[in-house]
Amino acid sequence: CGGETPVCCTSSGDAQCCVEGSVCSHDWHCIEPTTAACPNRVKLEAGFACECTCESCGVLPTVDMAELKAGKAMIVTSTAPSKSKDSARFMDFKYQPLAAGSSSQMDIELQPDATKQEILGFGGAFTDAVAWHYDELSTCMKKTFIEQHFGATGLGYTTGRVPMGASDFSRMNYVLDNTTDDYDLE
């Protein structure tokens, strides 16, 4: 490895070289240095996760508009260790030229006189399971959660959808209005 990077030994006894700044996991895989997108990487039984803390939660890669205007696409990938690739990466990105004949521009035709629907905003679903977990967070983690979803440095949500009854992520089965043909929810 040239002495510049740590060496991790696999269970078979073979040595492997890791990216500079990496550490070896308990099962002898490379854990690459933290990134802005994942400053708090933790090893789980089935791979890696990025953990939010009150001090840091990670930021999404910044889009370079000049690269996009130059005809390149921003490719964002995350990978887990495997037998063929021993290092994990999260929110790794690169700019890649588009294939010949393709365009980096999108044509959108607006028809203001043909209103089909009104856009109220963009967001996600907040199920009872989310509410239950949110309630379990510390005060500083609740602030982090709100910032990561609705804040200027987060996803930029402007709305939240609350399911009307149990959903696939509910903690139990239930309905909020068990009245036949009650379309006004009275």
Side-chain angles (χ1 to χ4, degrees), residues 14-45:
D14 298 327
Q16 63 177 341
C17 297
C18 303
V19 173
E20 186 173 352
S22 297
V23 295
C24 301
S25 69
H26 72 281
D27 59 352
W28 307 109
H29 284 94
C30 298
I31 301 176
E32 293 188 12
T34 60
T35 63
C38 185
N40 309 306
R41 186 185 315 235
V42 293
K43 175 81 170 101
L44 302 174
E45 183 179 333

PDB file of all heavy atoms in Angstrom, residues 14-45:
ATOM      1  N   ASP A  14      -5.951 -12.332   3.504  1.00  0.00           N
ATOM      2  CA  ASP A  14      -5.436 -11.459   2.458  1.00  0.00           C
ATOM      3  C   ASP A  14      -5.493 -10.010   2.936  1.00  0.00           C
ATOM      4  O   ASP A  14      -6.431  -9.606   3.610  1.00  0.00           O
ATOM      5  CB  ASP A  14      -6.272 -11.586   1.177  1.00  0.00           C
ATOM      6  CG  ASP A  14      -6.216 -12.996   0.593  1.00  0.00           C
ATOM      7  OD1 ASP A  14      -5.159 -13.637   0.738  1.00  0.00           O
ATOM      8  OD2 ASP A  14      -7.218 -13.428   0.004  1.00  0.00           O
ATOM      9  N   ALA A  15      -4.479  -9.223   2.565  1.00  0.00           N
ATOM     10  CA  ALA A  15      -4.455  -7.810   2.934  1.00  0.00           C
ATOM     11  C   ALA A  15      -5.097  -6.988   1.828  1.00  0.00           C
ATOM     12  O   ALA A  15      -5.055  -7.355   0.661  1.00  0.00           O
ATOM     13  CB  ALA A  15      -3.019  -7.360   3.162  1.00  0.00           C
ATOM     14  N   GLN A  16      -5.707  -5.900   2.213  1.00  0.00           N
ATOM     15  CA  GLN A  16      -6.281  -4.977   1.232  1.00  0.00           C
ATOM     16  C   GLN A  16      -5.903  -3.562   1.610  1.00  0.00           C
ATOM     17  O   GLN A  16      -5.716  -3.257   2.773  1.00  0.00           O
ATOM     18  CB  GLN A  16      -7.793  -5.131   1.152  1.00  0.00           C
ATOM     19  CG  GLN A  16      -8.510  -4.784   2.440  1.00  0.00           C
ATOM     20  CD  GLN A  16     -10.015  -4.867   2.297  1.00  0.00           C
ATOM     21  OE1 GLN A  16     -10.527  -4.842   1.208  1.00  0.00           O
ATOM     22  NE2 GLN A  16     -10.708  -4.957   3.418  1.00  0.00           N
ATOM     23  N   CYS A  17      -5.787  -2.696   0.623  1.00  0.00           N
ATOM     24  CA  CYS A  17      -5.453  -1.293   0.851  1.00  0.00           C
ATOM     25  C   CYS A  17      -6.734  -0.479   0.903  1.00  0.00           C
ATOM     26  O   CYS A  17      -7.668  -0.727   0.154  1.00  0.00           O
ATOM     27  CB  CYS A  17      -4.566  -0.771  -0.270  1.00  0.00           C
ATOM     28  SG  CYS A  17      -2.983  -1.609  -0.371  1.00  0.00           S
ATOM     29  N   CYS A  18      -6.756   0.501   1.789  1.00  0.00           N
ATOM     30  CA  CYS A  18      -7.915   1.371   1.932  1.00  0.00           C
ATOM     31  C   CYS A  18      -7.535   2.798   1.568  1.00  0.00           C
ATOM     32  O   CYS A  18      -6.360   3.148   1.548  1.00  0.00           O
ATOM     33  CB  CYS A  18      -8.413   1.341   3.373  1.00  0.00           C
ATOM     34  SG  CYS A  18      -8.836  -0.304   3.961  1.00  0.00           S
ATOM     35  N   VAL A  19      -8.537   3.632   1.318  1.00  0.00           N
ATOM     36  CA  VAL A  19      -8.327   5.044   1.051  1.00  0.00           C
ATOM     37  C   VAL A  19      -7.706   5.692   2.279  1.00  0.00           C
ATOM     38  O   VAL A  19      -8.033   5.343   3.414  1.00  0.00           O
ATOM     39  CB  VAL A  19      -9.683   5.715   0.700  1.00  0.00           C
ATOM     40  CG1 VAL A  19      -9.549   7.214   0.590  1.00  0.00           C
ATOM     41  CG2 VAL A  19     -10.240   5.127  -0.572  1.00  0.00           C
ATOM     42  N   GLU A  20      -6.825   6.659   2.067  1.00  0.00           N
ATOM     43  CA  GLU A  20      -6.169   7.336   3.173  1.00  0.00           C
ATOM     44  C   GLU A  20      -7.191   7.906   4.146  1.00  0.00           C
ATOM     45  O   GLU A  20      -8.189   8.493   3.744  1.00  0.00           O
ATOM     46  CB  GLU A  20      -5.287   8.470   2.632  1.00  0.00           C
ATOM     47  CG  GLU A  20      -4.455   9.125   3.714  1.00  0.00           C
ATOM     48  CD  GLU A  20      -3.463  10.127   3.150  1.00  0.00           C
ATOM     49  OE1 GLU A  20      -3.315  10.213   1.922  1.00  0.00           O
ATOM     50  OE2 GLU A  20      -2.862  10.815   3.968  1.00  0.00           O
ATOM     51  N   GLY A  21      -6.970   7.695   5.420  1.00  0.00           N
ATOM     52  CA  GLY A  21      -7.873   8.159   6.458  1.00  0.00           C
ATOM     53  C   GLY A  21      -8.912   7.128   6.864  1.00  0.00           C
ATOM     54  O   GLY A  21      -9.670   7.336   7.795  1.00  0.00           O
ATOM     55  N   SER A  22      -8.949   5.981   6.169  1.00  0.00           N
ATOM     56  CA  SER A  22      -9.918   4.931   6.483  1.00  0.00           C
ATOM     57  C   SER A  22      -9.534   4.208   7.763  1.00  0.00           C
ATOM     58  O   SER A  22      -8.390   4.269   8.220  1.00  0.00           O
ATOM     59  CB  SER A  22      -9.972   3.906   5.349  1.00  0.00           C
ATOM     60  OG  SER A  22     -10.412   4.489   4.157  1.00  0.00           O
ATOM     61  N   VAL A  23     -10.504   3.526   8.333  1.00  0.00           N
ATOM     62  CA  VAL A  23     -10.251   2.631   9.458  1.00  0.00           C
ATOM     63  C   VAL A  23     -10.820   1.273   9.103  1.00  0.00           C
ATOM     64  O   VAL A  23     -11.616   1.139   8.176  1.00  0.00           O
ATOM     65  CB  VAL A  23     -10.895   3.157  10.769  1.00  0.00           C
ATOM     66  CG1 VAL A  23     -10.249   4.460  11.192  1.00  0.00           C
ATOM     67  CG2 VAL A  23     -12.390   3.315  10.620  1.00  0.00           C
ATOM     68  N   CYS A  24     -10.405   0.253   9.832  1.00  0.00           N
ATOM     69  CA  CYS A  24     -10.886  -1.103   9.572  1.00  0.00           C
ATOM     70  C   CYS A  24     -12.084  -1.397  10.462  1.00  0.00           C
ATOM     71  O   CYS A  24     -12.082  -1.089  11.649  1.00  0.00           O
ATOM     72  CB  CYS A  24      -9.784  -2.114   9.840  1.00  0.00           C
ATOM     73  SG  CYS A  24      -8.323  -1.851   8.833  1.00  0.00           S
ATOM     74  N   SER A  25     -13.099  -2.015   9.880  1.00  0.00           N
ATOM     75  CA  SER A  25     -14.276  -2.398  10.648  1.00  0.00           C
ATOM     76  C   SER A  25     -13.988  -3.677  11.422  1.00  0.00           C
ATOM     77  O   SER A  25     -12.972  -4.330  11.204  1.00  0.00           O
ATOM     78  CB  SER A  25     -15.470  -2.609   9.717  1.00  0.00           C
ATOM     79  OG  SER A  25     -15.267  -3.760   8.925  1.00  0.00           O
ATOM     80  N   HIS A  26     -14.917  -4.050  12.300  1.00  0.00           N
ATOM     81  CA  HIS A  26     -14.732  -5.269  13.086  1.00  0.00           C
ATOM     82  C   HIS A  26     -14.691  -6.520  12.209  1.00  0.00           C
ATOM     83  O   HIS A  26     -14.140  -7.532  12.592  1.00  0.00           O
ATOM     84  CB  HIS A  26     -15.818  -5.385  14.163  1.00  0.00           C
ATOM     85  CG  HIS A  26     -17.168  -5.714  13.618  1.00  0.00           C
ATOM     86  ND1 HIS A  26     -17.974  -4.764  13.036  1.00  0.00           N
ATOM     87  CD2 HIS A  26     -17.835  -6.890  13.526  1.00  0.00           C
ATOM     88  CE1 HIS A  26     -19.091  -5.338  12.628  1.00  0.00           C
ATOM     89  NE2 HIS A  26     -19.040  -6.620  12.911  1.00  0.00           N
ATOM     90  N   ASP A  27     -15.280  -6.440  10.996  1.00  0.00           N
ATOM     91  CA  ASP A  27     -15.233  -7.592  10.095  1.00  0.00           C
ATOM     92  C   ASP A  27     -14.227  -7.374   8.966  1.00  0.00           C
ATOM     93  O   ASP A  27     -14.305  -7.984   7.913  1.00  0.00           O
ATOM     94  CB  ASP A  27     -16.630  -7.928   9.548  1.00  0.00           C
ATOM     95  CG  ASP A  27     -17.252  -6.770   8.783  1.00  0.00           C
ATOM     96  OD1 ASP A  27     -16.688  -5.657   8.802  1.00  0.00           O
ATOM     97  OD2 ASP A  27     -18.313  -6.994   8.179  1.00  0.00           O
ATOM     98  N   TRP A  28     -13.266  -6.457   9.201  1.00  0.00           N
ATOM     99  CA  TRP A  28     -12.109  -6.264   8.331  1.00  0.00           C
ATOM    100  C   TRP A  28     -12.432  -5.658   6.979  1.00  0.00           C
ATOM    101  O   TRP A  28     -11.795  -5.947   5.993  1.00  0.00           O
ATOM    102  CB  TRP A  28     -11.311  -7.566   8.181  1.00  0.00           C
ATOM    103  CG  TRP A  28     -10.945  -8.139   9.505  1.00  0.00           C
ATOM    104  CD1 TRP A  28     -11.466  -9.271  10.062  1.00  0.00           C
ATOM    105  CD2 TRP A  28     -10.050  -7.596  10.466  1.00  0.00           C
ATOM    106  NE1 TRP A  28     -10.946  -9.467  11.311  1.00  0.00           N
ATOM    107  CE2 TRP A  28     -10.056  -8.442  11.580  1.00  0.00           C
ATOM    108  CE3 TRP A  28      -9.236  -6.471  10.511  1.00  0.00           C
ATOM    109  CZ2 TRP A  28      -9.284  -8.210  12.704  1.00  0.00           C
ATOM    110  CZ3 TRP A  28      -8.461  -6.249  11.634  1.00  0.00           C
ATOM    111  CH2 TRP A  28      -8.490  -7.121  12.707  1.00  0.00           C
ATOM    112  N   HIS A  29     -13.417  -4.804   6.904  1.00  0.00           N
ATOM    113  CA  HIS A  29     -13.685  -4.029   5.694  1.00  0.00           C
ATOM    114  C   HIS A  29     -13.206  -2.597   5.925  1.00  0.00           C
ATOM    115  O   HIS A  29     -13.132  -2.138   7.060  1.00  0.00           O
ATOM    116  CB  HIS A  29     -15.184  -4.003   5.360  1.00  0.00           C
ATOM    117  CG  HIS A  29     -15.674  -5.273   4.760  1.00  0.00           C
ATOM    118  ND1 HIS A  29     -16.232  -6.275   5.522  1.00  0.00           N
ATOM    119  CD2 HIS A  29     -15.678  -5.706   3.492  1.00  0.00           C
ATOM    120  CE1 HIS A  29     -16.569  -7.283   4.735  1.00  0.00           C
ATOM    121  NE2 HIS A  29     -16.247  -6.956   3.498  1.00  0.00           N
ATOM    122  N   CYS A  30     -12.904  -1.905   4.850  1.00  0.00           N
ATOM    123  CA  CYS A  30     -12.504  -0.503   4.951  1.00  0.00           C
ATOM    124  C   CYS A  30     -13.714   0.361   5.260  1.00  0.00           C
ATOM    125  O   CYS A  30     -14.760   0.207   4.641  1.00  0.00           O
ATOM    126  CB  CYS A  30     -11.897  -0.016   3.632  1.00  0.00           C
ATOM    127  SG  CYS A  30     -10.414  -0.897   3.147  1.00  0.00           S
ATOM    128  N   ILE A  31     -13.580   1.253   6.206  1.00  0.00           N
ATOM    129  CA  ILE A  31     -14.577   2.282   6.451  1.00  0.00           C
ATOM    130  C   ILE A  31     -13.895   3.585   6.079  1.00  0.00           C
ATOM    131  O   ILE A  31     -12.964   4.027   6.741  1.00  0.00           O
ATOM    132  CB  ILE A  31     -15.043   2.309   7.922  1.00  0.00           C
ATOM    133  CG1 ILE A  31     -15.645   0.968   8.311  1.00  0.00           C
ATOM    134  CG2 ILE A  31     -16.034   3.444   8.140  1.00  0.00           C
ATOM    135  CD1 ILE A  31     -16.046   0.867   9.762  1.00  0.00           C
ATOM    136  N   GLU A  32     -14.355   4.176   4.970  1.00  0.00           N
ATOM    137  CA  GLU A  32     -13.694   5.371   4.454  1.00  0.00           C
ATOM    138  C   GLU A  32     -13.980   6.566   5.349  1.00  0.00           C
ATOM    139  O   GLU A  32     -14.918   6.563   6.134  1.00  0.00           O
ATOM    140  CB  GLU A  32     -14.127   5.615   3.016  1.00  0.00           C
ATOM    141  CG  GLU A  32     -13.601   4.516   2.110  1.00  0.00           C
ATOM    142  CD  GLU A  32     -13.823   4.800   0.632  1.00  0.00           C
ATOM    143  OE1 GLU A  32     -14.184   5.931   0.289  1.00  0.00           O
ATOM    144  OE2 GLU A  32     -13.620   3.866  -0.144  1.00  0.00           O
ATOM    145  N   PRO A  33     -13.163   7.613   5.218  1.00  0.00           N
ATOM    146  CA  PRO A  33     -13.330   8.796   6.068  1.00  0.00           C
ATOM    147  C   PRO A  33     -14.728   9.386   5.946  1.00  0.00           C
ATOM    148  O   PRO A  33     -15.414   9.179   4.953  1.00  0.00           O
ATOM    149  CB  PRO A  33     -12.290   9.783   5.524  1.00  0.00           C
ATOM    150  CG  PRO A  33     -11.362   8.986   4.694  1.00  0.00           C
ATOM    151  CD  PRO A  33     -12.105   7.774   4.243  1.00  0.00           C
ATOM    152  N   THR A  34     -15.109  10.143   6.956  1.00  0.00           N
ATOM    153  CA  THR A  34     -16.422  10.771   6.921  1.00  0.00           C
ATOM    154  C   THR A  34     -16.486  11.776   5.778  1.00  0.00           C
ATOM    155  O   THR A  34     -15.473  12.282   5.315  1.00  0.00           O
ATOM    156  CB  THR A  34     -16.718  11.488   8.248  1.00  0.00           C
ATOM    157  OG1 THR A  34     -15.726  12.480   8.459  1.00  0.00           O
ATOM    158  CG2 THR A  34     -16.748  10.515   9.398  1.00  0.00           C
ATOM    159  N   THR A  35     -17.689  12.038   5.332  1.00  0.00           N
ATOM    160  CA  THR A  35     -17.925  13.016   4.274  1.00  0.00           C
ATOM    161  C   THR A  35     -18.924  14.038   4.785  1.00  0.00           C
ATOM    162  O   THR A  35     -19.567  13.821   5.815  1.00  0.00           O
ATOM    163  CB  THR A  35     -18.507  12.337   3.013  1.00  0.00           C
ATOM    164  OG1 THR A  35     -19.786  11.778   3.349  1.00  0.00           O
ATOM    165  CG2 THR A  35     -17.590  11.237   2.486  1.00  0.00           C
ATOM    166  N   ALA A  36     -19.081  15.126   4.068  1.00  0.00           N
ATOM    167  CA  ALA A  36     -20.064  16.140   4.459  1.00  0.00           C
ATOM    168  C   ALA A  36     -21.473  15.551   4.471  1.00  0.00           C
ATOM    169  O   ALA A  36     -22.307  15.910   5.290  1.00  0.00           O
ATOM    170  CB  ALA A  36     -20.003  17.335   3.518  1.00  0.00           C
ATOM    171  N   ALA A  37     -21.740  14.611   3.561  1.00  0.00           N
ATOM    172  CA  ALA A  37     -23.059  13.994   3.485  1.00  0.00           C
ATOM    173  C   ALA A  37     -23.286  13.000   4.617  1.00  0.00           C
ATOM    174  O   ALA A  37     -24.422  12.749   5.009  1.00  0.00           O
ATOM    175  CB  ALA A  37     -23.242  13.294   2.144  1.00  0.00           C
ATOM    176  N   CYS A  38     -22.226  12.410   5.125  1.00  0.00           N
ATOM    177  CA  CYS A  38     -22.350  11.397   6.183  1.00  0.00           C
ATOM    178  C   CYS A  38     -21.228  11.553   7.202  1.00  0.00           C
ATOM    179  O   CYS A  38     -20.282  10.770   7.221  1.00  0.00           O
ATOM    180  CB  CYS A  38     -22.342  10.000   5.557  1.00  0.00           C
ATOM    181  SG  CYS A  38     -22.638   8.678   6.751  1.00  0.00           S
ATOM    182  N   PRO A  39     -21.323  12.570   8.067  1.00  0.00           N
ATOM    183  CA  PRO A  39     -20.242  12.790   9.031  1.00  0.00           C
ATOM    184  C   PRO A  39     -20.228  11.799  10.193  1.00  0.00           C
ATOM    185  O   PRO A  39     -19.234  11.705  10.897  1.00  0.00           O
ATOM    186  CB  PRO A  39     -20.512  14.212   9.528  1.00  0.00           C
ATOM    187  CG  PRO A  39     -21.985  14.382   9.358  1.00  0.00           C
ATOM    188  CD  PRO A  39     -22.352  13.584   8.143  1.00  0.00           C
ATOM    189  N   ASN A  40     -21.307  11.059  10.380  1.00  0.00           N
ATOM    190  CA  ASN A  40     -21.415  10.146  11.529  1.00  0.00           C
ATOM    191  C   ASN A  40     -21.792   8.748  11.041  1.00  0.00           C
ATOM    192  O   ASN A  40     -22.883   8.271  11.292  1.00  0.00           O
ATOM    193  CB  ASN A  40     -22.463  10.657  12.513  1.00  0.00           C
ATOM    194  CG  ASN A  40     -22.251  12.099  12.886  1.00  0.00           C
ATOM    195  OD1 ASN A  40     -21.178  12.472  13.314  1.00  0.00           O
ATOM    196  ND2 ASN A  40     -23.253  12.931  12.687  1.00  0.00           N
ATOM    197  N   ARG A  41     -20.880   8.106  10.346  1.00  0.00           N
ATOM    198  CA  ARG A  41     -21.156   6.776   9.799  1.00  0.00           C
ATOM    199  C   ARG A  41     -21.099   5.740  10.923  1.00  0.00           C
ATOM    200  O   ARG A  41     -20.188   5.759  11.741  1.00  0.00           O
ATOM    201  CB  ARG A  41     -20.116   6.436   8.741  1.00  0.00           C
ATOM    202  CG  ARG A  41     -20.391   5.152   8.025  1.00  0.00           C
ATOM    203  CD  ARG A  41     -19.275   4.806   7.068  1.00  0.00           C
ATOM    204  NE  ARG A  41     -18.865   5.952   6.304  1.00  0.00           N
ATOM    205  CZ  ARG A  41     -18.826   5.988   4.994  1.00  0.00           C
ATOM    206  NH1 ARG A  41     -19.166   4.945   4.294  1.00  0.00           N
ATOM    207  NH2 ARG A  41     -18.427   7.069   4.367  1.00  0.00           N
ATOM    208  N   VAL A  42     -22.096   4.871  10.962  1.00  0.00           N
ATOM    209  CA  VAL A  42     -22.123   3.792  11.952  1.00  0.00           C
ATOM    210  C   VAL A  42     -22.311   2.467  11.238  1.00  0.00           C
ATOM    211  O   VAL A  42     -22.980   2.376  10.219  1.00  0.00           O
ATOM    212  CB  VAL A  42     -23.253   3.994  13.001  1.00  0.00           C
ATOM    213  CG1 VAL A  42     -22.978   5.200  13.865  1.00  0.00           C
ATOM    214  CG2 VAL A  42     -24.612   4.116  12.352  1.00  0.00           C
ATOM    215  N   LYS A  43     -21.685   1.431  11.764  1.00  0.00           N
ATOM    216  CA  LYS A  43     -21.778   0.085  11.191  1.00  0.00           C
ATOM    217  C   LYS A  43     -22.959  -0.619  11.828  1.00  0.00           C
ATOM    218  O   LYS A  43     -23.119  -0.629  13.038  1.00  0.00           O
ATOM    219  CB  LYS A  43     -20.475  -0.676  11.468  1.00  0.00           C
ATOM    220  CG  LYS A  43     -20.490  -2.122  11.033  1.00  0.00           C
ATOM    221  CD  LYS A  43     -20.216  -2.244   9.558  1.00  0.00           C
ATOM    222  CE  LYS A  43     -19.978  -3.679   9.155  1.00  0.00           C
ATOM    223  NZ  LYS A  43     -21.082  -4.330   8.543  1.00  0.00           N
ATOM    224  N   LEU A  44     -23.811  -1.189  10.974  1.00  0.00           N
ATOM    225  CA  LEU A  44     -24.950  -1.971  11.439  1.00  0.00           C
ATOM    226  C   LEU A  44     -24.761  -3.410  11.003  1.00  0.00           C
ATOM    227  O   LEU A  44     -23.864  -3.720  10.215  1.00  0.00           O
ATOM    228  CB  LEU A  44     -26.256  -1.413  10.843  1.00  0.00           C
ATOM    229  CG  LEU A  44     -26.551   0.049  11.138  1.00  0.00           C
ATOM    230  CD1 LEU A  44     -27.771   0.502  10.367  1.00  0.00           C
ATOM    231  CD2 LEU A  44     -26.756   0.258  12.623  1.00  0.00           C
ATOM    232  N   GLU A  45     -25.605  -4.279  11.470  1.00  0.00           N
ATOM    233  CA  GLU A  45     -25.505  -5.688  11.104  1.00  0.00           C
ATOM    234  C   GLU A  45     -25.590  -5.892   9.596  1.00  0.00           C
ATOM    235  O   GLU A  45     -24.876  -6.709   9.031  1.00  0.00           O
ATOM    236  CB  GLU A  45     -26.620  -6.478  11.800  1.00  0.00           C
ATOM    237  CG  GLU A  45     -26.551  -7.969  11.541  1.00  0.00           C
ATOM    238  CD  GLU A  45     -27.650  -8.719  12.269  1.00  0.00           C
ATOM    239  OE1 GLU A  45     -28.125  -8.247  13.313  1.00  0.00           O
ATOM    240  OE2 GLU A  45     -28.028  -9.790  11.775  1.00  0.00           O
TER     241      GLU A  45
END
